[in-house]
Amino acid sequence: MAQTFEEITKGEVNRFLQNILFIDDKAYQPDNKENEFDAGQISNAFAKNGKFCTIFAPSSECDLCQYSSLFTKADAIVLDWYLDLTSSKDSVDDEKDAEVDEPRGFYTKYLIEETVADAKNEKLKIIVVYTGETDLRGITQDIHSCIAQYGNFKQGDCCVYSSNVMIVVRAKYNGEEQFKHLEDLKDKIIKYENLPDFITEEFSNHVNGLLSIFVLLSISIIRENTSRILNVYSPKLDIAYLGHKMVLPNPEDAKGLVIKLFGESITDLISSSCIDTHDWLSLWIKDRYSHPKTIKVSDNKNIQVDQECI
């Protein structure tokens, strides 16, 4: 049994996360030591963690336009900072063609900007910039400047975040001597085998709440039973559905019945899964109120709030 609410959160996030999308132009060039990226090791690391890992190695701007549609389907996105691509007539942005002479960050910022613009303040997005570069804080500043116009984005230590978007900058592991003269960046190095746990932890930081975890767990249950639900609503039911539609005074009301039946199927599925929330609240209180807090209730009155009070 989990001992903290944080452990519960990480467990459910790990169950939920399934599709990780990687964009790295060096993904399938094992002999290329510059900004190296081993697709095989990455795939194995995520497979051992029970996750699908999709890796694309774009070679042109046109490729990026094709891949961007996948960003809405990925649970987490991992981007290389240096995408060295060939230009095309269908440029990513015709007005910025002159800036592509130095491609470091240009295309990655484009992808981040597209993702953030689509997310607005409605969609939860986790993006990891996984780079072989050394100027991690400079990259962070560059990203923040790029997307500041899209909302209330704040800059942290190698991260940029809003209420629903988290972008973290981390370094690819490149030997024990890496960052020898930049000791404060040592903890920003992530080995391939540690990426699944790192992404789970970053995602957990954004959904660490009672209702968030219940919804996340419910979505996981629906995902895991998709085939079962599809089997229930098989084509064999079409005749019954059409017959019902024909006898209704307003045939369009049949759509409302289908929506109701499907909603009840989802409700029954989640109810029958026996989600155990028994320890959630007490652990949540322990995590949030490990130390007493003073809350101001009026100009001249404060109250002390602790675990016992809650």
Side-chain angles (χ1 to χ4, degrees):
M1 185 184 73
Q3 299 301 310
T4 65
F5 189 75
E6 182 180 354
E7 291 175 357
I8 289 177
T9 301
K10 288 182 179 179
E12 298 307 336
V13 166
N14 190 52
R15 179 177 177 179
F16 168 80
L17 288 173
Q18 292 185 359
N19 305 302
I20 315 299
L21 176 65
F22 281 81
I23 305 292
D24 195 307
D25 60 324
K26 303 296 190 302
Y28 300 102
Q29 302 177 24
D31 297 331
N32 192 323
K33 297 302 179 183
E34 182 184 0
N35 210 15
E36 185 180 7
F37 183 90
D38 194 314
Q41 289 189 39
I42 287 288
S43 297
N44 288 336
F46 281 91
K48 290 176 181 177
N49 206 256
K51 294 173 176 46
F52 295 106
C53 181
T54 304
I55 302 171
F56 287 111
S59 59
S60 68
E61 293 177 351
C62 185
D63 289 340
L64 285 189
C65 295
Q66 295 174 349
Y67 298 160
S68 60
S69 63
L70 297 174
F71 280 38
T72 58
K73 301 176 183 179
D75 296 328
I77 303 163
V78 184
L79 304 172
D80 186 21
W81 181 246
Y82 182 10
L83 298 175
D84 191 5
L85 310 180
T86 58
S87 301
S88 63
K89 292 182 180 180
D90 299 322
S91 177
V92 166
D93 189 335
D94 291 335
E95 295 181 0
K96 296 182 180 180
D97 278 349
E99 299 178 24
V100 194
D101 292 337
E102 174 49 70
R104 295 180 188 276
F106 176 82
Y107 296 109
T108 300
K109 285 188 292 183
Y110 162 75
L111 293 174
I112 291 174
E113 194 172 351
E114 289 284 298
T115 303
V116 168
D118 176 68
K120 300 178 182 177
N121 62 347
E122 303 169 351
K123 301 178 182 179
L124 181 64
K125 290 293 179 183
I126 303 295
I127 301 173
V128 180
V129 176
Y130 192 45
T131 179
E133 306 290 313
T134 58
D135 187 14
L136 303 187
R137 293 194 173 92
I139 291 173
T140 304
Q141 176 63 51
D142 210 358
I143 293 172
H144 182 260
S145 300
C146 173
I147 63 174
Q149 60 181 308
Y150 292 102
N152 186 24
F153 281 94
K154 299 178 181 179
Q155 183 176 332
D157 186 18
C158 294
C159 68
V160 178
Y161 60 95
S162 68
S163 60
N164 62 303
V165 176
M166 169 65 80
I167 304 166
V168 292
V169 181
R170 291 297 183 267
K172 299 173 182 176
Y173 177 72
N174 190 29
E176 296 300 327
E177 295 297 313
Q178 188 175 1
F179 292 144
K180 182 177 180 180
H181 302 294
L182 297 169
E183 290 292 330
D184 59 325
L185 291 178
K186 285 279 189 181
D187 63 339
K188 303 298 186 293
I189 302 169
I190 307 294
K191 294 182 179 181
Y192 293 150
E193 61 267 27
N194 295 330
L195 266 176
D197 287 340
F198 174 76
I199 291 174
T200 295
E201 185 168 347
E202 291 299 321
F203 201 102
S204 298
N205 292 336
H206 256 54
V207 294
N208 189 21
L210 289 166
L211 295 182
S212 299
I213 294 306
F214 182 83
V215 172
L216 201 69
L217 176 53
S218 298
I219 293 172
S220 296
I221 292 170
I222 295 170
R223 279 180 167 184
E224 293 163 5
N225 288 275
T226 301
S227 298
R228 180 180 171 186
I229 297 171
L230 287 172
N231 187 53
V232 170
Y233 292 91
S234 71
K236 295 178 182 178
L237 298 178
D238 287 355
I239 299 301
Y241 166 70
L242 291 173
H244 175 71
K245 187 179 179 76
M246 289 168 60
V247 300
L248 288 175
N250 182 7
E252 290 305 311
D253 289 345
K255 178 181 177 181
L257 177 62
V258 172
I259 294 173
K260 181 180 179 181
L261 289 173
F262 182 71
E264 290 176 350
S265 297
I266 298 300
T267 301
D268 291 342
L269 174 63
I270 295 172
S271 298
S272 65
S273 298
C274 300
I275 299 176
D276 184 9
T277 63
H278 179 72
D279 297 320
W280 288 16
L281 182 56
S282 60
L283 293 175
W284 181 89
I285 292 173
K286 287 181 180 179
D287 275 13
R288 296 300 193 278
Y289 295 91
S290 56
H291 301 287
K293 297 182 180 179
T294 301
I295 298 178
K296 184 177 181 179
V297 294
S298 67
D299 290 338
N300 57 1
K301 186 176 181 180
N302 297 328
I303 61 172
Q304 283 284 108
V305 178
D306 57 19
Q307 293 183 19
E308 184 178 355
C309 172
I310 295 297

